[in-house]
């Protein structure tokens, strides 16, 4: 292919850092270099982005379809045979057990074109309602809360460049120092400019080390914390009465709920002291503008939607939403976490962020798709519920862009469900733990080998360009869907309905999204190339003489996207996590990420440099808990929940609360964190409680007598529980 430099974007997280790719003369490899014209990262990359090309040429890269032979082994096969088997597997289930017996599972890493085509494929070709995706595990609680409060869910309603110019940012359960390192500069610049940073995290993370104030609540108590802050806002007369009157609705009920959450009560629930609460309110309210940003910490809870709602309430009561340099935002996670939630791979959704239950939306999209609106199925199950139904109601699954054997909650059970399917087809670039269980594995092209668009955490639609020729033997996800549509039929013109050229798909997506909340109709590949991305909504200009719509970097300044233009307070009150610690499981487990691994690790665990930096799982625990177990640094410890047992080396640190342990979720096998996690779901967003469940921690070896004693008891002595509290000495710096 072209031997020149291609400006493009990273394959991994939602920051979508710009990078330049230069192919080697023989086209076999590609080199990453700094791309300074993209403003978000200005050339900076984290280790994952810098090493991403290693996955393109990795020896474990799949380059041939695999099918399961009579002996149960996965063996290479031709595309013809593999696609034929998938069509037969899905088609037979459909005819024997009905369309809803066929499930589809997508991913927030898929480009807009793929996410759009996958949703269309499910509804038009398979006719199934049973489609959802891993974004449900990601930002769905923030999305639900944003839709309720503002009438629209775009993760950040302002560009990152606004952050350094505001007065105060509260980062709730977000660790950008590890999860989006090039974005850290926005927060350090904020402080250089005289603004303050408050970090809310049960761990003193690398991000918290940059904070002016670190609040370390007990996992799962952010809702109470936000209510406590709102209580103080009201009590201290810091409410913005005029704003509340003019731009919001529902204040009285919310005010009453907040008044019931006395600071002392909130201190008891959260472990955050009253003086710290007061200090946070002062820092947040004194400047003219301020922001609250949430990420997975408060969102991945069985009350994630209410929790985000409580933080939005704080913004609304203080007049800090829909105004310059102020607002609530969610830091979306996956490469196309934003676009992936807009174009129809979500159970209840049609392209353009339309609702499947809305007759007008159905009519519009059916018209674009050339099908009868009546033929479109209704909403299906959410991600965990879908995985939980595998092998029972759902007998065959097509999976694209996720590795649930590692990343789903209660993963042992999910793995069992996947194994019990009649038929599983997986499209992936490597043999992930989930692909290894498939009947057919289809090897697909990767980021640098194909063109497509993603929508970053800012709501900026970007063009990710092809820079090299894919290896022989792989096809793009779009080609897979095209091939399956041709074999399975459906729609008026199955083959034509699934173009393999991404730009052609995007042109259709533009029409399908036109007039919807996430309107892309004014965006073209050409504009994306010329303008370094365009923020949605960007409607096509209507009528002759109308100028080109510039896109919308900042939302809600004139009005919110609700019918009356007012933001809605959400009445919420504290409730406990789904599984509180008890005598048998006295410790809280929370989970998350480390800088050098990405998600289920399917891609980054294939990169030597990243493995050297983050070789395996670990259990982060406080010295006091370690002492009780008799565990020294590096000793294997077992973490046991009602769902299973995981073992990993101890990493002992005062940076975590003594009542809490932390595990990253990037690994499979014995150290798989999701063996332990609780699939208790948020009633609205259907988000599982990844961030808090009850466990006990056991020492595994017994070289020292103390350890033997704990082992004999089989668990941490319950008498230890009340003692596991922050002493002032271990309380995080603040
Ligand atoms: N290196 C790396 N970067 C990534 C990813 C990756 O896998 N690896 N994944 C990408 C994706 S998809 C996502 S969604 C983002 C996620 O980005 P983040 O949300 O920043 O990542 P997490 O580590 O899941 O969680 C953030 C913090 O929440 C804290 N936390 C745990 N429980 C609670 C709680 O109850 N309350 C509060 N307030 N905090 C809590 C954890 O201690 C952790 O430090 O990262 C993206 N970037
Ligand atoms: N305990 C715990 N569990 C969690 C979380 C947590 O914080 N704690 N976070 C949750 C969150 S926020 C997320 S986003 C999920 C993510 O978890 P997963 O959904 O498992 O995400 P990935 O590991 O990114 O999986 C993507 C898979 O698709 C493949 N792939 C990459 N690009 C493409 C492509 O273009 N096409 C196809 N067909 N395949 C591709 C990759 O090789 C990989 O196997 O994990 C969730 N699980
Ligand atoms: S921060 Fe995210 S987008 Fe940027 S290089 Fe790292 S993984 Fe890629
Ligand atoms: Mo995510």
């Amino acid at each position: 292919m072209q031997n020149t430099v291609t400006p493009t974007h990273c394959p991994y997280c939602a920051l979508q850092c710009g990078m330049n790719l230069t192919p080697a003369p023989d086209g076999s490899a590609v080199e990453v270099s700094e791309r300074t014209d993209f403003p978000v990262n200005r050339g900076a990359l984290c280790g994952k982005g810098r090493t991403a090309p290693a996955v393109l040429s990795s020896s474990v890269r799949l380059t041939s379809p695999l099918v399961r032979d009579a002996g149960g082994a996965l063996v290479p096969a031709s595309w013809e045979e593999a696609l034929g088997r998938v069509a037969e597997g899905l088609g037979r289930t459909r005819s024997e057990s009905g369309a809803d017996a066929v499930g589809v599972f997508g991913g927030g890493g898929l480009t807009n074109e793929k996410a759009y085509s996958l949703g269309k494929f499910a509804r038009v070709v398979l006719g199934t309602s049973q489609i959802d995706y891993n974004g449900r595990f990601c930002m769905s609680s923030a999305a639900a809360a944003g839709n309720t409060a503002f009438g629209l869910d775009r993760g950040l309603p302002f560009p990152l460049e606004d952050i350094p110019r505001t007065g105060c940012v509260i980062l709730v359960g977000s660790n950008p120092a590890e999860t989006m390192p090039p974005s850290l500069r926005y927060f350090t610049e904020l402080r250089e400019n005289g603004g303050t940073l408050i970090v809310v995290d049960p761990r003193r993370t690398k991000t918290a080390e940059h904070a002016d104030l670190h609040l370390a609540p007990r996992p799962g108590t952010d809702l109470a914390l936000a209510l406590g802050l709102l209580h103080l806002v009201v009590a201290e007369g810091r409410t913005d009465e005029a704003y509340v009157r003019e731009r919001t609705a529902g204040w009285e009920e919310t005010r009453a709920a907040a008044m019931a959450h006395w600071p002392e009560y909130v201190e008891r629930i959260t472990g955050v002291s009253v003086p710290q609460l007061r200090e946070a309110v002062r820092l947040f309210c004194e400047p003219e503008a301020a922001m609250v940003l949430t990420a997975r910490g408060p969102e991945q809870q069985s009350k994630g939607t209410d929790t985000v709602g409580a933080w939005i309430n704080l913004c609304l009561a203080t007049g800090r939403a829909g105004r310059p340099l102020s607002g609530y935002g969610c830091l979306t996670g996956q490469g196309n976490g934003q676009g992936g939630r807009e174009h129809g791979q979500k159970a209840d959704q049609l392209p353009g962020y339309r609702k499947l239950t809305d007759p007008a939306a159905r009519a519009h999209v059916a018209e674009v798709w050339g099908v009868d609106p009546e033929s479109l199925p209704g909403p299906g199950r959410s991600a965990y519920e879908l995985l939980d139904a595998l092998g029972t109601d759902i007998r065959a699954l097509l999976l694209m862009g996720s590795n649930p054997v590692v990343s789903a909650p209660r993963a042992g059970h999910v793995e069992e469900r996947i194994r019990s399917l009649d038929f599983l087809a997986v499209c992936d670039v490597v043999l992930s733990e989930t692909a290894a269980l498939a009947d057919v594995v289809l090897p697909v092209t990767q980021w640098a080998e194909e063109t497509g668009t993603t929508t970053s955490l800012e709501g900026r639609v970007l063009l990710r360009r092809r820079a090299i020729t894919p290896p022989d033997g792989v096809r793009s996800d779009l080609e897979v869907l095209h091939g399956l549509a041709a074999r399975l039929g459906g729609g008026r013109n199955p083959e034509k309905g699934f173009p393999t050229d991404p730009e052609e798909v995007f042109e259709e997506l533009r029409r399908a999204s036109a007039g919807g909340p996430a309107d892309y109709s004014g965006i073209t590949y050409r504009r994306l190339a010329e303008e370094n991305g365009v923020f949605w909504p960007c409607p096509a200009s209507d009528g002759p003489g109308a100028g080109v719509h510039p896109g919308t970097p900042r939302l809600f300044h004139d009005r919110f996207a609700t019918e009356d233009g007012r933001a809605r307070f959400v009445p919420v009150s504290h409730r406990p996590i789904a599984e509180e610690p008890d005598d048998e499981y006295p410790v809280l487990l929370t989970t998350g990420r480390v800088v050098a691994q990405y998600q289920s690790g399917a891609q980054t665990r294939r990169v030597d440099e990243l493995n050297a930096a983050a070789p395996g799982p670990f259990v982060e625990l406080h010295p006091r808990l370690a002492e009780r177990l008799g565990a020294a640094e590096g000793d294997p410890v077992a973490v046991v929940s009602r769902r299973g047992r995981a073992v990993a080396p101890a990493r002992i640190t005062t940076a975590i609360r003594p009542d809490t342990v932390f595990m990253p979720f990037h690994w499979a096998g014995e150290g798989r964190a999701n063996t332990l996690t609780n699939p208790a779901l948020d009633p609205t967003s259907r988000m599982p409680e990844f961030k808090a469940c009850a466990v006990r921690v056991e020492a595994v070896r017994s070289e020292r007598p103390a350890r033997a004693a704990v082992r004999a008891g089989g668990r941490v002595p319950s008498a230890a529980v009340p003692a596991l509290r922050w002493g002032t000495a271990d309380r995080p710096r603040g």
Side-chain angles (χ1 to χ4, degrees):
M1 233 198 133
Q2 64 267 47
N3 217 340
T4 47
V5 176
T6 306
T8 189
H9 297 273
C10 175
Y12 297 121
C13 86
L15 205 56
Q16 284 297 285
C17 292
M19 57 168 66
N20 283 328
L21 294 181
T22 315
D26 66 352
S28 61
V30 64
E31 215 170 85
V32 169
S33 60
E34 200 173 83
R35 174 181 170 195
T36 47
D37 69 324
F38 186 63
V40 173
N41 62 309
R42 290 194 233 141
L45 297 171
C46 79
K48 299 184 298 300
R50 205 169 20 77
T51 59
V55 188
L56 296 165
S57 55
S58 165
S59 58
V60 297
R61 170 86 191 266
L62 296 172
T63 51
S64 164
L66 303 172
V67 299
R68 208 158 286 279
D69 70 8
L74 277 175
V75 296
S78 69
W79 271 96
E80 196 51 38
E81 185 190 351
L83 286 174
R85 283 232 209 163
V86 177
E88 198 211 291
L90 303 179
R92 185 190 305 152
T93 302
R94 185 178 57 177
S95 54
E96 283 174 4
S97 311
D100 275 356
V102 183
V104 177
F105 201 90
L110 300 177
T111 60
N112 288 315
E113 293 78 2
K114 295 178 184 187
Y116 170 83
S117 298
L118 190 65
K120 179 180 175 183
F121 180 82
R123 273 71 177 234
V124 173
V125 175
L126 298 172
T128 182
S129 66
Q130 301 299 307
I131 173 170
D132 211 50
Y133 79 121
N134 67 8
R136 183 73 69 171
F137 298 155
C138 190
M139 41 13 79
S140 58
S141 294
N147 275 322
T148 304
F150 306 130
L152 186 73
D153 154 46
R154 195 184 84 186
L156 290 181
F158 43 75
L160 288 167
E161 67 180 50
D162 285 2
I163 290 174
R165 297 187 291 136
T166 190
C168 173
V169 174
I170 311 185
L171 259 181
V172 192
S174 165
N175 186 12
E178 301 225 37
T179 54
M180 296 181 184
S183 75
L184 198 63
R185 78 171 163 88
Y186 292 100
F187 302 101
T188 52
E189 281 170 20
L190 163 76
R191 298 186 68 210
E192 284 159 20
N193 293 344
T196 54
L197 177 66
I198 302 175
V199 169
V200 181
D201 196 307
R203 305 155 57 220
R204 192 175 62 244
T205 57
K206 290 199 179 115
T207 307
E209 279 166 15
H210 292 272
D212 297 280
L213 178 66
H214 171 212
L215 310 179
R218 190 169 177 266
T221 63
D222 303 81
L223 175 50
L225 184 69
L227 279 161
L229 298 178
L230 186 57
H231 180 106
L232 287 169
V233 163
V234 177
E236 294 176 5
R238 296 182 187 271
T239 316
D240 187 336
E241 305 281 354
Y243 173 94
V244 167
R245 208 169 38 243
E246 283 153 30
R247 300 209 53 191
T248 71
W251 170 230
E252 274 317 310
E253 212 180 324
T254 290
R255 184 178 177 281
M259 291 328 282
H261 289 74
W262 289 90
E264 293 73 16
Y265 171 57
V266 169
E267 176 182 281
R268 271 204 307 282
I269 296 170
T270 62
V272 176
S273 72
V274 175
Q276 282 187 313
L277 294 172
R278 285 192 195 282
E279 178 64 359
V281 167
R282 189 184 69 79
L283 293 177
F284 184 66
C285 292
E286 277 182 358
E288 198 145 308
M291 297 172 176
V292 172
L293 302 177
T294 66
R296 302 308 81 77
E299 298 170 17
Q300 290 174 326
Q301 300 183 13
S302 62
K303 54 177 178 296
T305 306
D306 282 1
T307 300
V308 173
W311 287 99
I312 292 176
N313 288 345
L314 181 68
C315 291
L316 294 178
T318 51
R320 298 179 182 294
R323 279 177 164 177
L325 305 179
S326 273
Y328 161 78
C330 147
L331 295 165
T332 297
Q334 297 182 84
N336 194 29
Q338 181 68 51
R341 74 211 210 207
E342 298 163 359
H343 299 299
Q345 58 177 333
K346 199 170 171 212
D348 56 355
Q349 196 189 63
L350 287 169
Y353 222 133
R354 288 185 155 94
K355 285 205 177 73
L356 201 43
T357 47
D358 170 6
R362 293 170 70 89
H364 172 84
V365 174
E367 162 86 38
V368 175
W369 287 353
V371 298
D372 180 352
E374 296 288 303
S375 72
L376 296 177
R381 292 182 180 85
S382 76
Y384 179 75
E385 291 162 295
L386 191 158
L387 295 171
D388 188 38
L390 300 182
T392 55
D393 301 7
I394 302 177
R395 316 249 13 130
L397 182 73
L398 172 66
L399 187 140
M400 189 179 273
S402 181
N403 185 13
V405 165
V406 177
S407 58
R410 196 186 171 196
H413 171 74
V414 166
E415 181 175 344
E416 227 171 79
R417 297 282 92 231
I418 291 174
R419 286 179 189 276
S420 72
L421 280 164
D422 294 345
F423 182 80
L424 172 66
V426 175
C427 306
D428 207 312
V429 301
V430 291
L431 195 67
S432 72
E433 286 73 12
T434 310
L437 304 180
D439 297 287
V440 179
V441 182
L442 300 171
V444 293
T445 48
Q446 298 186 40
W447 59 293
E449 301 160 350
E450 56 182 22
T451 293
T453 62
T454 59
T455 306
S456 78
L457 81 175
E458 295 181 299
R460 191 195 296 251
V461 186
L462 300 166
L463 186 61
R464 204 151 76 183
R465 295 175 179 85
R466 170 172 162 144
I468 51 166
T469 311
D472 287 341
V474 305
R475 293 190 185 175
S476 74
D477 291 299
L478 294 179
E479 287 173 306
V480 168
L481 295 175
H482 176 89
L484 292 177
R487 285 166 178 81
L488 283 159
R492 264 181 226 147
N493 201 338
E495 243 172 298
K496 260 190 91 187
F498 292 86
T500 57
D501 171 19
E503 188 167 4
E504 222 178 298
V505 178
F506 190 80
E507 287 299 309
E508 187 183 304
L509 181 159
R510 290 177 61 197
R511 282 186 283 125
S513 76
D519 191 331
Y520 282 39
S521 60
I523 305 176
T524 59
Y525 269 31
R526 190 159 159 190
R527 273 191 77 176
L528 293 178
E530 285 167 1
E531 295 174 36
N532 239 335
V534 177
F535 291 82
W536 72 258
C538 181
S541 312
D542 38 357
V548 172
H549 192 287
T552 317
R554 294 173 184 82
L555 291 165
F556 310 141
H557 283 195
D558 302 327
R559 63 193 307 280
F560 292 98
T562 51
E563 233 161 70
D564 59 8
R566 288 167 178 269
R568 293 281 176 287
F569 279 98
V570 199
V572 291
S573 52
H574 167 69
R575 59 180 192 271
I577 57 175
E579 188 181 64
E580 283 286 359
D582 56 17
D583 282 358
E584 212 180 332
Y585 300 97
V587 175
L588 279 165
L589 167 73
T590 191
T591 61
R593 295 160 164 82
V594 298
V595 66
Q597 296 290 349
Y598 189 69
Q599 313 273 64
S600 72
Q603 290 155 286
T604 48
R605 280 187 275 120
R606 323 287 178 188
V607 180
D608 294 342
E609 188 184 327
L610 300 177
N611 283 333
F618 58 86
V619 180
E620 195 175 285
L621 73 170
H622 191 273
R624 237 187 291 159
L625 177 54
E627 196 189 331
R628 273 176 220 289
L629 298 173
E633 178 73 14
D635 281 359
V637 292
V639 183
V640 186
S641 80
R642 288 185 175 82
R643 288 145 304 272
R645 171 189 168 96
V647 178
R651 190 175 285 185
I652 301 170
T653 169
T654 55
I656 190 164
R657 294 172 54 98
D659 58 4
T660 301
V661 297
F662 168 84
M663 288 182 78
F665 78 99
H666 309 294
W667 289 274
E670 201 184 37
R672 179 173 69 182
N674 275 319
T675 299
L676 307 165
T677 48
N678 185 1
L681 300 182
D682 180 286
T684 309
S685 65
R686 319 306 283 169
M687 166 72 85
E689 192 135 82
F690 285 119
K691 287 295 191 263
C693 72
V695 296
R696 61 170 183 263
V697 188
E698 298 168 351
V700 172
R701 278 182 283 113
S702 55
E703 281 145 34
R704 283 182 284 170
R707 266 179 248 172
V710 173
R711 232 162 69 109
R715 59 183 163 89
V716 184
S718 60
V721 182
L724 294 178
R725 296 254 185 269
W726 283 110
T728 359
D730 339 288
R731 207 182 271 280
R733 180 171 75 90

